[in-house]
Amino acid sequence: MKHARMLGFTRTLPPDSHTSSPEHLRSMTRLPGRASRQCARSRSASLLIASLLLLSACGGGGGGEASEGTGSPNLSTSSSSGGTVSTPDTQPPSAPDAPAYSGLTATSVLLRWGGASDDRGVAAYDVYRDGRFLGSVSSNTLVYLDVSVSPNTTHRYQIKARDAAGNLSPASAELAVLTPPLAAVRDTQPPSAPGSLRATQISQSSLSVAWLPASDNTGVAVYDVTLNGVLIATLGSTASNYTASGLRAATAYTIAVHARDAEGNASLAATIQVSTTVAVAPPSGSSSSSSSSSSSSSSSSSSSSSSSSSSSSSSSSSGGKSSSSSSSSSSSSSSSSSSSSSSSSSSSSSSSSGGAPAPVTTLSYVDFDNGSLTPAGWTIGAQQGGSIVVSSDKARNHGGSNGSLKATYPMATAGMYAWAEYNLAPLNTRDVYIEFDVRIPPDAGGRTPGSAKFLKFFGQASSDGYANTTFGISGDAGQVGSLTYIGFGDGTNMENDVANVIFLNGTEPTWIGRSYGKASVYNRGTYWNYWDWKDQWHHFRVHAKFHTSTYNTATKTCVAEVNDGEYYLEIDGVTFVDARGLFNHRCSNPPLSRVTLLDWGGGTFGPFEINLDNIRVTTGGFVSGPKKH
């Protein structure tokens, strides 16, 4: 696992993702019904003439009322009359590779094998022990944890592949395993729950999730992924992400991840509730498209919030496996309030380049006045002793409103304690604006304790590197609690968000990588210091834009890059940084995937709190007017 580190910050970089479909559909073979029976009653002197009449009346075997029955999926081929003729799938898959074991105890065997192939796709793998069927796993799952073996016994395993028609492959080569004698003391301690389970991609038909590794005294063996309580995948011990596909649009799903050790001890579940996006009918003459549930329109009064993309929360602990869940889970809901939790609206504002006015579209506006932790398009959660709730204390809410978001950081160790994350992936955009009200109360000594990756824009990774961006509260001595820098990866290496840094006070101008000498960076010349927070609300406006680029996927080269990337930070109407002319991603990096508030915390200065209210995410500019330069 790779880590990015700067100013006391560490973040684990995700490995490659895993993809599968949880729904395996069987075709229904439709046999001739009423027409068949009518044709059968035909009386003809000649069998040949009867056959010809039957073929003509039945349309070559089609039409008529279907009789019930299940059978093999059919392959459609063109007929001479211009229709289709279905042929059954009778070809079995190839034999899977020989299994091997990667974990072994007196009562368990962890198997792995190589996949089989099939002309229409493998649907599942069947596991056999000592010649008897043991269980099945889905086609993307190439591991199986057998926890019912006998100690000091030789067991023999084989694997068979199965397609959707039920055709079984030849058996794999046999694996003989001798289990060790039963130990005097068995491992009964389960792993910790996977950490920080969150949605990373949401579409009409798929949901991608990622998590932080679980820990175990003897080592994690597998991760089990369930969808609405049904096991859809078992992944290896190094897995940290998964994509469930083949889902229904505009539907809420509960995804849970358990860790298991080699003894079969299962952790508490890390759970997230997420809704797929809504399918929208295409305009006349255009191809079909989808619209995220996080961008559904609503009026300014008595409007109903969209289907929620839910909050996530993990039942993990920071230091041991026996601690209970301290997460903040929430369910998908739809509620009415005087202000929408997510809206899509347009107005006019100056464009980011200072030219003609461009339309401003509000992707999401959340004021938490309806008390919900599940605004559409957002994932909100906490772990490791952190907490995140909707505050009902009007005296502590912005403007005495009915609600605000309150996150607390216990600061036992550095790590991720709370997050509020908006999914940008369906927009396919490289340009986004966010404004919000924030309050960070000081400690008894008047200092804002701890440090935090206060605001992050995630640009995902490519084979070249990362393009994530961080607006960071410092943990350095003398600057603890001060908003000091904008750090970003420009895609040239695997440094997460610290390959390039723009300091708010104007120092270290060379630390902006390949943008140096090409970028124009305005700095106010001072940090937003810890004493500037006081015990008051402050209004932030932030703009992040990736530079223009073109990537040739065939040659895997950058065809054109224009240094027109931008970062902008404004606090209480005062511009602190206005950076233009940046190379701030790589042409091979995907567009912006999400924007996250709160995120990672660290330091040794005790617990602290962050309050958020009136969060608005837009494209095309700020709703409150043009940038102040």
Side-chain angles (χ1 to χ4, degrees), residues 154-165:
T154 298
H155 293 287
R156 303 180 187 280
Y157 292 93
Q158 288 181 299
I159 313 295
K160 294 182 181 180
R162 177 163 40 89
D163 62 19

Side-chain angles (χ1 to χ4, degrees), residues 168-542:
L168 274 178
S169 75
S172 69
E174 188 177 76
L175 169 70
V177 179
L178 174 61
T179 56
L182 187 65
V185 179
R186 290 187 59 190
D187 175 21
T188 59
Q189 186 175 356
S192 66
S196 188
L197 180 65
R198 58 180 59 201
T200 56
Q201 295 282 347
I202 303 174
S203 72
Q204 287 178 229
S205 60
S206 67
L207 297 170
S208 298
V209 294
W211 59 88
L212 297 178
S215 60
D216 185 73
N217 61 324
T218 60
V220 172
V222 293
Y223 290 98
D224 294 327
V225 183
T226 63
L227 185 75
N228 291 346
V230 177
L231 181 67
I232 58 173
T234 298
L235 308 174
S237 59
T238 60
S240 64
N241 42 73
Y242 182 80
T243 296
S245 58
L247 309 181
R248 294 185 178 91
T251 303
Y253 291 93
T254 299
I255 298 179
V257 181
H258 293 80
R260 281 191 292 160
D261 60 20
E263 283 283 4
N265 300 310
S267 73
L268 296 173
T271 304
I272 184 173
Q273 292 171 318
V274 191
S275 292
T276 49
T277 57
V278 179
V280 177
S284 177
S286 67
S287 60
S288 63
S289 61
S290 66
S291 171
S292 169
S293 61
S294 62
S295 303
S296 62
S297 62
S298 59
S299 64
S300 59
S301 62
S302 301
S303 62
S304 174
S305 65
S306 313
S307 67
S308 113
S309 171
S310 117
S311 79
S312 126
S313 63
S314 308
S315 308
S316 76
S317 61
S318 59
K321 300 195 304 182
S322 60
S323 63
S324 62
S325 166
S326 58
S327 60
S328 168
S329 63
S330 44
S331 62
S332 174
S333 64
S334 177
S335 59
S336 298
S337 67
S338 60
S339 70
S340 64
S341 64
S342 178
S343 63
S344 177
S345 61
S346 293
S347 61
S348 182
S349 174
S350 296
S351 67
S352 61
S353 62
V360 176
T361 300
T362 295
L363 305 173
S364 178
Y365 173 72
V366 192
D367 60 12
F368 303 101
D369 284 357
N370 63 6
S372 173
L373 266 176
T374 61
W378 288 85
T379 300
I380 296 175
Q383 65 175 26
Q384 295 192 130
S387 70
I388 190 163
V389 298
V390 174
S391 169
S392 59
D393 182 358
K394 292 188 178 182
R396 309 299 282 175
N397 294 344
H398 186 268
S401 67
N402 291 325
S404 64
L405 200 63
K406 176 183 176 181
T408 56
Y409 290 72
M411 304 304 296
T413 58
M416 184 175 291
Y417 294 97
W419 59 90
E421 183 172 277
Y422 183 71
N423 179 33
L424 296 169
L427 303 174
N428 196 36
T429 184
R430 299 182 185 274
D431 196 357
V432 71
Y433 296 75
I434 182 170
E435 49 189 310
F436 52 91
D437 295 303
V438 60
R439 169 183 166 273
I440 305 182
D443 62 12
R447 169 169 289 190
T448 301
S451 62
K453 291 188 174 181
F454 177 66
L455 170 67
K456 284 182 69 73
F457 293 90
F458 287 89
Q460 304 185 53
S462 68
S463 57
D464 298 310
Y466 285 83
N468 297 338
T469 302
T470 291
F471 292 72
I473 298 177
S474 178
D476 285 359
Q479 299 296 340
V480 174
S482 298
L483 188 62
T484 58
Y485 72 97
I486 302 171
F488 62 96
D490 62 4
T492 57
N493 56 47
M494 297 308 289
E495 289 290 331
N496 192 356
D497 52 8
V498 299
N500 308 277
V501 176
I502 300 170
F503 281 98
L504 273 62
N505 69 348
T507 60
E508 299 285 359
T510 58
W511 205 0
I512 55 174
R514 60 195 179 114
S515 300
Y516 181 65
K518 301 177 179 64
S520 171
V521 180
Y522 165 80
N523 299 87
R524 184 166 178 256
T526 181
Y527 299 142
W528 173 262
N529 293 289
Y530 62 83
W531 58 78
D532 292 320
W533 292 105
K534 300 180 182 177
D535 195 5
Q536 300 171 354
W537 286 90
H538 302 279
H539 188 67
F540 276 62
R541 302 203 309 169
V542 180

